[in-house]
């Protein structure tokens, strides 16, 4: 049996990816019209990674985008990925610890808690971007989450939807479950042990046994 289940936030716990695609689509068409579809290429990147890659040395644009993003996130709607609440309740009934491991910052999380005040109750620990120096695809965030429970990485399952997130789970040595909320199966399958569309396709007992059998 596994000891801990570690969840990304956007596209895993919350159905927000389409909203972010809309926001970043507008920003990239404004600032980088020469790169069509850039809003899809940046999925899984933190804000700092996006700025370093596409707005290096442009403090004015970075500030404008940050303010626009803050306003956008305050107005966002937050809903759970289908089956999440029932699945996490099943995990808890089995004595499996749960953690949220997100690259979102505390400012973003305040907006989430305002609209979903019960969210923290689903997790034993919540790690945000302030809790680790190196972001996904570096494994630091998942290693820290496992260590918080005194668990070995091999005793944990990581749930992700982005390429960078799945690479972080793999690099940390966790059993990787990919959700197809952001990328197609052909993209996430090589980076995962299990691929699902949402949590209605998972059973905590069966997953725990399967993950626990991994070498």
């Amino acid at each position: 049996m596994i000891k801990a289940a570690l969840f990304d936030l956007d596209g895993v716990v919350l159905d927000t990816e389409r909203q972010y695609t809309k926001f970043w689509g507008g920003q990239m068409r404004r600032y980088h019209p020469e790169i069509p579809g850039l809003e899809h290429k940046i999925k899984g990147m933190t804000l700092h990674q996006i700025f370093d890659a596409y707005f290096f040395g442009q403090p004015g644009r970075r500030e404008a985008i940050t303010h626009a993003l803050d306003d956008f996130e305050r107005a966002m709607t937050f809903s759970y990925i289908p089956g999440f609440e029932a699945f996490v309740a099943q995990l808890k009934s089995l004595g499996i610890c749960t953690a949220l491991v997100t690259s979102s910052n505390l400012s973003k999380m305040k907006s989430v808690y305002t609209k979903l005040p019960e969210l923290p109750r689903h997790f034993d620990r919540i790690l945000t971007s302030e809790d680790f120096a190196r972001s996904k695809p570096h494994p630091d965030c998942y290693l820290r989450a496992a260590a918080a429970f005194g668990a070995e990485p091999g005793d944990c399952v990581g749930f992700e939807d982005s390429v960078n997130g799945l690479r972080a789970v793999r690099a940390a040595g966790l059993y990787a479950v990919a959700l197809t909320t952001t990328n197609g199966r052909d993209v996430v399958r090589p980076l995962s042990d299990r691929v699902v569309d949402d949590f209605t396709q998972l059973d905590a007992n069966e997953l725990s046994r399967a993950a626990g059998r991994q070498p």
Side-chain angles (χ1 to χ4, degrees):
M1 296 286 285
I2 59 170
K3 294 182 179 179
L6 315 179
F7 298 81
D8 178 42
L9 179 65
D10 293 297
V12 174
V13 174
L14 300 181
D15 185 10
T16 53
E17 283 304 316
R18 285 172 291 184
Q19 296 177 76
Y20 278 117
T21 298
K22 181 179 180 180
F23 171 81
W24 283 110
Q27 297 298 314
M28 293 310 185
R29 283 189 294 274
R30 178 179 182 182
Y31 295 115
H32 281 295
E34 77 283 5
I35 313 177
L38 188 53
E39 65 270 23
H40 300 289
K41 297 178 183 178
I42 64 173
K43 286 186 180 296
M45 296 175 67
T46 66
L47 185 59
H48 289 300
Q49 289 171 333
I50 294 170
F51 282 165
D52 288 345
Y54 299 104
F55 298 94
F56 185 77
Q58 302 176 50
R61 290 186 174 184
R62 291 164 71 126
E63 183 177 1
I65 292 171
T66 299
H67 286 311
L69 181 60
D70 287 343
D71 290 341
F72 181 82
E73 288 181 334
R74 280 192 290 269
M76 283 179 70
T77 59
F78 298 107
S79 58
Y80 293 110
I81 295 294
F84 167 75
E85 291 179 283
F87 179 72
V88 78
Q90 190 183 19
L91 290 172
K92 287 180 174 294
S93 73
L94 296 173
I96 297 171
C97 298
T98 59
L100 182 65
V101 184
T102 176
S103 297
S104 297
N105 58 27
L106 288 174
S107 177
K108 152 72 177 294
M109 296 309 297
K110 288 179 181 178
S111 296
V112 177
Y113 298 150
T114 297
K115 296 178 181 179
L116 293 176
E118 80 284 356
L119 178 71
R121 295 198 292 270
H122 292 307
F123 302 102
D124 299 299
R125 295 292 298 270
I126 295 178
L127 281 71
T128 63
S129 62
E130 290 83 1
D131 293 310
F132 37 87
R134 290 171 288 189
S135 298
K136 305 167 187 178
H138 195 278
D140 183 42
C141 56
Y142 282 108
L143 293 173
R144 284 175 177 265
F149 297 123
E152 294 295 325
D155 293 327
C156 303
V157 175
F159 299 85
E160 277 282 358
D161 63 308
S162 71
V163 170
N164 277 348
L166 287 166
R167 286 174 175 164
V169 171
R170 283 287 205 198
L174 280 63
Y175 185 92
V177 177
L179 280 81
T180 60
T181 51
T182 301
N183 295 285
R185 287 177 174 267
D186 58 327
V187 175
V188 299
R189 185 178 290 111
L191 300 170
S192 60
D193 298 293
R194 178 80 62 87
V195 179
V196 296
D197 298 319
D198 57 43
F199 292 100
T200 65
Q201 299 175 354
L202 286 173
D203 176 80
N205 279 291
E206 186 276 328
L207 178 65
S208 181
R209 290 193 295 270
R213 287 196 294 268
Q214 296 302 301

